[in-house]
Amino acid sequence: MLKQAASKYQAFRPIGLTDRTWPDAVLAQAPVWLSTDLRDGNQALIEPMDAARKLRMFELLVRIGFKEIEVGFPAASQTDFDFVRKLIEEDLIPADVTIQVMTPARAELIERTVEAVAGARRVIVHVYNAVAPVWRRVVFGLEVPQVMQLVDEHVGLVRRLTDDRPDTQWVLQYSPETFSLAELEVSLEACETAIAAWGLGRPIILNLPTTVENATPNVFADQVEWMVRRFRDRPEIVVSVHPHNDRGTGTASAELALMAGAHRVEGCLFGNGERTGNLDLVNVALNLYTQGVDPGLDFSDIDEVRRTVEHCNQLPVHPRHPYAGDLVYTSFSGSHQDAIKKAFAQRRDGDVWAIPYLPIDPKDLGRSYEAVIRVNSQSGKGGIAYLLDSEYGLDLPRRLQIEFSQAVQQVMDTEGHELTADDLWRLFDSEYHVSATALPRYRLQASEGQGAQAVRLEGECEVAGRSVAFAGHGDGPIDAFVQAMGAALGVSVRVLDYHEHAIGAGADAHAVAYLELRIGASQTVYGVGRDTDIVAASLKAVLSGLQRATITVSPASADVPTANELAGA
């Protein structure tokens, strides 16, 4: 790369539109959409679509809701010609859909193009020629008057050929190709020449392309507003834009152009097209949607749209592609996960969408919340808790989240790969002995001479691989069990915190209990229990915590009474 880039590359000169109005504009309605997947997108494929893939793409575009579809370049290949004829002769074009076909300003190609669409109900014939200085001078060797003569002759030919076929409703689209690189006065003259040749007052689309992006999007917006002002009081004229993405700003160019007064945009699904691609119509449409504007296009099953486009184009959609990529609704970062989890917990049906890091509700596009949070070495307690809650119904208390996240981090530091919700459950189950903890064998009865809630609980259980007999009193089963196990193990046991909730409903409902225990003078551990009965789940949670603590079970405490001794106690 050159140290003095200006010796080789020159910055595009600003338009100097000092009274521009587009910066204050607010997009409040959708533009007219034109899909050029079957033409501009198709010509950019390594392997252009065959007839079957073309038809599948056309049907997808109709289902999404496109009312204008550029179906091909019929003068360029027999495949395109035959496909256009198939759509017309087999009556595959819905009554509210207009097809568009493209041709350069060459007589024999215009004739072939009009022939291809004979018999269609409504057709847009798209004629183009390059008007920028480099193309005029280097590619075609033409001066400006010669360019205008070419426009006049070839648009006039389109008019004569289409006037001979009155059964079809004809609309002309004229593109001053390379508009973004041309002098505005030359582009305007070319458009006015096309309007005159087509016939004043007849419907016409003036399509302004960034054939090659050459400046920042605000410059393109200035160019578009400059042109729109010249046609503002002429309702038969639709101003359209066709942004490319050479600088990576195709979406911005389109949005700013609409703010500048353009009525219509052309592009492809997911931005397929020459070089770095055309405008991504999905991106612009869903950007509008997230601003409360109905785009008029249906992406409620974005994954099916993506799969179909990938099949037809034989090209993958990037996992980070806006709105449609596999990972665009996924957070690995711990701080992001924590914010998302808290927002979901507070959200109520009917609330305005306001979830951190999620500009759109994935469910609106047919996505579930399953992949919103995923756990890797960068994740934190919030993400872990979210997955266990959303997939397994476990609503972990905050301090338990912190405790378990340390166990997860140890695994991540060792293994390094992403952990799924199933992986987290297996780790949680192993860490807290949820499935392995057996319900103690016990007998519960009211404790005579004590308070109304006082009970006596006795029985046997297993701790640290040894059978332990227990008996104790307390204000309820949990308190009695804790007191009994403390006495049996010869160590103080206290409940610091207790949470419980149900999972499921009806016959399949389970209770889950979380107990934070202080064992001895310094050990604090959580235990987790699950059972169909809340008392049983709580007793299991106490045992879960004891199993996790560092406790030595002495032979004396492990003496197990006989069944008769238990029965007579």
Side-chain angles (χ1 to χ4, degrees):
M1 296 179 65
L2 301 174
K3 295 296 184 183
Q4 300 296 327
S7 66
K8 186 173 184 179
Y9 301 99
Q10 291 187 334
F12 192 85
R13 293 181 180 179
I15 303 307
L17 193 68
T18 57
D19 60 342
R20 62 181 63 84
T21 62
W22 62 261
D24 295 323
V26 176
L27 298 180
Q29 64 181 29
V32 176
W33 306 101
L34 182 283
S35 162
T36 187
D37 289 88
L38 289 165
R39 200 278 303 169
D40 206 350
N42 185 55
Q43 75 180 28
L45 299 177
I46 299 170
E47 179 187 336
M49 290 180 246
D50 57 19
R53 283 190 283 154
K54 275 178 172 285
L55 184 58
R56 184 170 175 182
M57 177 68 82
F58 179 79
E59 291 170 344
L60 172 68
L61 296 169
V62 170
R63 287 200 306 274
I64 291 171
F66 285 96
K67 302 305 179 185
E68 295 185 2
I69 302 172
E70 192 166 55
V71 293
F73 196 153
S77 74
Q78 191 64 41
T79 301
D80 267 23
F81 187 95
D82 291 343
F83 176 69
V84 173
R85 293 310 309 161
K86 177 182 178 69
L87 293 178
I88 296 169
E89 292 170 4
E90 297 183 16
D91 197 22
L92 299 176
I93 306 167
D96 61 346
V97 172
T98 300
I99 61 169
Q100 177 171 305
V101 285
M102 185 178 189
T103 176
R106 288 173 52 187
E108 69 278 13
L109 300 183
I110 291 172
E111 292 170 357
R112 177 71 167 166
T113 301
V114 174
E115 178 188 352
V117 293
R121 283 184 291 270
R122 187 172 190 269
V123 177
I124 301 169
V125 179
H126 180 191
V127 180
Y128 72 94
N129 66 289
V131 298
V134 172
W135 277 259
R136 296 196 310 258
R137 183 178 66 251
V138 176
V139 180
F140 300 110
L142 298 176
E143 298 297 330
V144 171
Q146 294 172 296
V147 172
M148 301 309 151
Q149 182 180 355
L150 180 150
V151 174
D152 178 66
E153 290 178 359
H154 292 94
V155 171
L157 175 60
V158 174
R159 178 174 181 171
R160 292 192 298 275
L161 292 173
T162 56
D163 283 350
D164 288 342
R165 294 172 170 83
D167 291 340
T168 297
Q169 182 182 353
W170 301 96
V171 176
L172 176 73
Q173 174 167 312
Y174 173 69
S175 290
E177 192 197 6
T178 65
F179 164 80
S180 57
L181 287 156
E183 311 93 328
L184 284 171
E185 293 77 8
V186 173
S187 295
L188 177 61
E189 185 180 356
C191 289
E192 292 285 14
T193 301
I195 292 169
W198 179 241
L200 295 177
R202 300 181 70 183
I204 186 171
I205 300 167
L206 300 178
N207 188 52
L208 311 177
T210 55
T211 305
V212 180
E213 276 200 311
N214 60 290
T216 50
N218 61 296
V219 173
F220 183 58
D222 281 351
Q223 292 174 316
V224 171
E225 182 167 341
W226 191 94
M227 293 289 287
V228 165
R229 290 181 183 184
R230 274 68 186 171
F231 305 115
R232 185 166 288 158
D233 298 324
R234 299 160 73 172
E236 74 278 10
I237 297 174
V238 171
V239 177
S240 177
V241 291
H242 182 109
H244 276 254
N245 201 45
D246 300 272
R247 292 168 55 92
T249 58
T251 294
S253 292
E255 291 179 332
L256 268 58
L258 291 173
M259 292 165 63
H263 313 104
R264 181 178 183 265
V265 292
E266 297 190 353
C268 293
L269 299 176
F270 310 119
N272 180 46
E274 296 280 14
R275 303 179 308 281
T276 57
N278 290 290
L279 169 68
D280 179 359
L281 295 179
V282 180
N283 200 346
V284 178
L286 293 179
N287 282 355
L288 286 171
Y289 181 73
T290 62
Q291 299 300 302
V293 177
D294 178 6
L297 299 176
D298 182 5
F299 294 110
S300 58
D301 191 350
I302 195 73
D303 289 334
E304 175 58 26
V305 173
R306 188 193 67 215
R307 283 191 292 268
T308 301
V309 172
E310 288 178 330
H311 168 77
C312 293
N313 290 342
Q314 300 293 291
L315 290 172
V317 173
H318 195 280
R320 297 290 184 191
H321 196 100
Y323 297 112
D326 284 334
L327 297 177
V328 296
Y329 305 113
T330 300
S331 288
F332 291 99
S333 162
S335 61
H336 292 197
Q337 293 172 344
D338 185 59
I340 292 170
K341 179 179 181 295
K342 289 175 179 174
F344 268 125
Q346 296 180 28
R347 178 173 170 76
R348 299 293 179 267
D349 289 343
D351 287 353
V352 171
W353 183 255
I355 301 294
Y357 305 109
L358 290 175
I360 192 172
D361 186 348
K363 285 193 173 180
D364 288 356
L365 305 182
R367 291 277 185 90
S368 72
Y369 294 141
E370 293 178 7
V372 168
I373 289 178
R374 290 163 62 175
V375 173
N376 65 11
S377 61
Q378 303 300 306
S379 305
K381 64 184 185 303
I384 296 165
Y386 174 87
L387 288 178
L388 288 176
D389 187 5
S390 62
E391 299 297 312
Y392 291 94
L394 299 175
D395 186 10
L396 307 188
R398 180 175 174 79
R399 286 195 295 276
L400 177 54
Q401 294 177 28
I402 296 171
E403 182 183 281
F404 180 55
S405 69
Q406 295 170 352
V408 174
Q409 193 63 49
Q410 290 177 356
V411 172
M412 291 301 311
D413 289 343
T414 301
E415 300 184 8
H417 61 76
E418 177 189 351
L419 295 182
T420 66
D422 289 345
D423 295 331
L424 290 173
W425 161 247
R426 285 191 290 269
L427 181 57
F428 185 82
D429 188 29
S430 174
E431 179 71 20
Y432 294 93
H433 314 287
V434 180
S435 300
T437 300
L439 180 66
R441 296 181 291 278
Y442 69 93
R443 185 171 65 186
L444 181 67
Q445 62 185 41
S447 184
E448 297 180 4
Q450 304 293 323
Q453 302 298 319
V455 297
R456 173 180 173 81
L457 185 141
E458 55 193 25
E460 64 178 294
C461 61
E462 191 171 282
V463 179
R466 304 289 296 275
S467 292
V468 176
F470 59 84
H473 298 269
D475 294 329
I478 300 173
D479 186 39
F481 188 47
V482 167
Q483 300 300 333
M485 291 305 299
L489 297 172
V491 63
S492 65
V493 180
R494 291 189 297 129
V495 176
L496 300 181
D497 196 20
Y498 171 81
H499 293 270
E500 57 87 10
H501 64 80
I503 300 177
D508 296 327
H510 281 72
V512 180
Y514 312 97
L515 275 80
E516 186 178 23
L517 303 176
R518 172 64 57 83
I519 300 173
S522 59
Q523 284 195 80
T524 301
V525 296
Y526 259 97
V528 181
R530 183 178 64 180
D531 201 277
T532 55
D533 176 75
I534 184 56
V535 172
S538 300
L539 300 186
K540 286 183 176 181
V542 174
L543 282 179
S544 164
L546 294 173
Q547 298 280 18
R548 298 181 66 239
T550 304
I551 298 175
T552 301
V553 181
S554 66
S557 64
D559 290 337
V560 181
T562 65
N564 289 335
E565 289 173 328
L566 282 174

